[in-house]
C-alpha cells in the first residue's frame, strides 16, 4: 500500500509536513518538536534533582511521563540527553556570573563578585553541579564546560582590561588574569562541591578574594602610579 502525505509522521508520532507543504507549516512543526525537546530536557533536570547524578533513563522517562522510546525519538542516546542537560547547567553559570561582573566598578569588588557568583551556583544547584563533575569524562560535556569557562573568562578579561586602562596601566595582563581567575575558582568550586561545602560560601569567597587580590594589588603597587590611585580601592572598604 502506498503511503500518502497524511501517512508521514515525525519521530514523535505527529504528522511531519512533507517538503511540498508551505514553509510556515514546516516551521510550526519544527517549533513544536523543539518545544517538546526542551520539555524533556526540563524533565531530565527535575529527575536529576530528585534522584541525584546517577539518575537513569527510566527515571527521566517516568519524570517526563513518557516511555523510554519517546525519549530516544528526541535524543539518540543517554549521552546526548546528558549533553543537553549540561548546556542548561552551563547557561545557569553564565547567567549568574556575567551580570555580577558587569555591575562592579572597583577591582577588588570585581574579583569578589566573580568568585561569589560562581560559588552561588554551586550552593543553589549542588546536585546539578555534581552531575557535571560526575559526567566530566564525557567529551561533549568537557567541551561545554570548557566553552563556559572561555565565555566567562572572555567577559571578565574585557572588564579587567577596562579597569586597568582606566588606571593608566597596561591591559596586557587582563586575559591571562581572567583565565587564571576562572580556572582557580573552578578548581576550588569542584573541591567545595565534592566535599559537601564544608566552608560557608561567604567565608570561602573572602579567603579566595584575599589570596587573589594580594597578587593583583602587588602588580598595582609596583606600577609607576600616584599613591592615591594605587590605594583607590581602600577608600571604599570599611
Amino acid at each position: 500500500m502506498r503511503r500518502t502525505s497524511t501517512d508521514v509522521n515525525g519521530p514523535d508520532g505527529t504528522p511531519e509536513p512533507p517538503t511540498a507543504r508551505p514553509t510556515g507549516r514546516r516551521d510550526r512543526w519544527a517549533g513544536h518538536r523543539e518545544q517538546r525537546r526542551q520539555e524533556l530536557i526540563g524533565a531530565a533536570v527535575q529527575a536529576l534533582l530528585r534522584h541525584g547524578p546517577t539518575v537513569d533513563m527510566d527515571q527521566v522517562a517516568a519524570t517526563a511521563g513518557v516511555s523510554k522510546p519517546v525519549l530516544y525519538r528526541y535524543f539518540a542516546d543517554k549521552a546526548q540527553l546528558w549533553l543537553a542537560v549540561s548546556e542548561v547547567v552551563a547557561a545557569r553559570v553564565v547567567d549568574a556570573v556575567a551580570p555580577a561582573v558587569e555591575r562592579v566598578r572597583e577591582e577588588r569588588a570585581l574579583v569578589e563578585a566573580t568568585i561569589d557568583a560562581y560559588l552561588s551556583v554551586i550552593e543553589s544547584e549542588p546536585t546539578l553541579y555534581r552531575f557535571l563533575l560526575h559526567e566530566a569524562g564525557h567529551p561533549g560535556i568537557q567541551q561545554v564546560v570548557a566553552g563556559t569557562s572561555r565565555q566567562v573568562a572572555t567577559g571578565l578579561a574585557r572588564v579587567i582590561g577596562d579597569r586597568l586602562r582606566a588606571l593608566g596601566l597596561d591591559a596586557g595582563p587582563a586575559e591571562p588574569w581572567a583565565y587564571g581567575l576562572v580556572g582557580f575558582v573552578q578548581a576550588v568550586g569542584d573541591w567545595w562541591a565534592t566535599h559537601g561545602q564544608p566552608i560557608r560560601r561567604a567565608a570561602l569567597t573572602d579567603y579566595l578574594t584575599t589570596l587573589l587580590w594580594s597578587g593583583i594589588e602587588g602588580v598595582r603597587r609596583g606600577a609607576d602610579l600616584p599613591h592615591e590611585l594605587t590605594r583607590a580601592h581602600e577608600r571604599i572598604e570599611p
Side-chain angles (χ1 to χ4, degrees), residues 25-151:
R25 297 183 68 179
R26 292 200 302 273
D27 291 345
R28 285 196 297 273
W29 182 86
H32 168 75
R33 177 175 172 79
E34 178 58 24
Q35 179 182 353
R36 184 61 172 144
R37 182 177 180 275
Q38 292 302 320
E39 289 171 355
L40 293 174
I41 294 172
V45 170
Q46 291 304 311
L48 269 168
L49 294 174
R50 185 178 303 169
H51 301 289
T54 58
V55 62
D56 58 33
M57 293 294 273
D58 286 316
Q59 292 166 326
V60 172
T63 301
V66 300
S67 63
K68 279 207 300 184
V70 171
L71 286 179
Y72 288 120
R73 290 172 187 164
Y74 290 85
F75 305 96
D77 52 25
K78 180 179 178 180
Q80 192 176 85
L81 175 58
W82 282 177
L83 179 60
V85 170
S86 74
E87 291 170 347
V88 171
V89 179
R92 294 185 183 184
V93 173
V94 174
D95 290 345
V97 175
V101 170
E102 291 291 342
R103 281 195 299 266
V104 297
R105 289 295 177 268
E106 294 295 333
E107 291 83 354
R108 191 181 195 282
L110 172 64
V111 174
E112 183 176 25
T114 303
I115 294 170
D116 186 65
Y118 189 84
L119 295 179
S120 73
V121 176
I122 301 176
E123 184 178 61
S124 62
E125 306 280 8
T127 301
L128 294 182
Y129 194 85
R130 286 197 300 272
F131 160 76
L132 284 183
L133 296 179
H134 186 267
E135 298 293 330
H138 185 282
I141 293 180
Q142 287 179 354
Q143 292 176 3
V144 169
V145 173
T148 301
S149 297
R150 283 194 301 272
Q151 186 175 351

Side-chain angles (χ1 to χ4, degrees), residues 4-6 8 15-23 25-26:
T4 66
S5 61
T6 57
V8 181
E16 180 178 357
T19 55
R21 292 185 179 180
T23 301
R25 297 183 68 179
R26 292 200 302 273

Side-chain angles (χ1 to χ4, degrees), residues 153-154 156-158 160-161 164 170-184 212 216:
T154 299
L156 188 59
R158 178 178 54 79
I160 292 175
L164 290 173
D170 176 18
E175 190 168 3
W177 278 356
Y179 274 86
L181 174 59
V182 170
F184 176 76
L212 288 170
I216 296 174

Side-chain angles (χ1 to χ4, degrees), residues 150-216:
R150 283 194 301 272
Q151 186 175 351
V152 172
T154 299
L156 188 59
R158 178 178 54 79
V159 176
I160 292 175
D162 289 344
R163 303 294 185 271
L164 290 173
R165 282 186 288 270
L167 289 169
L169 290 172
D170 176 18
E175 190 168 3
W177 278 356
Y179 274 86
L181 174 59
V182 170
F184 176 76
V185 175
Q186 186 177 36
V188 176
D190 292 354
W191 168 85
W192 195 52
T194 55
H195 287 77
Q197 302 177 22
I199 303 174
R200 290 184 302 108
R201 174 178 136 204
L204 184 57
T205 297
D206 186 59
Y207 295 157
L208 300 182
T209 301
T210 300
L211 176 61
L212 288 170
W213 180 248
S214 296
I216 296 174

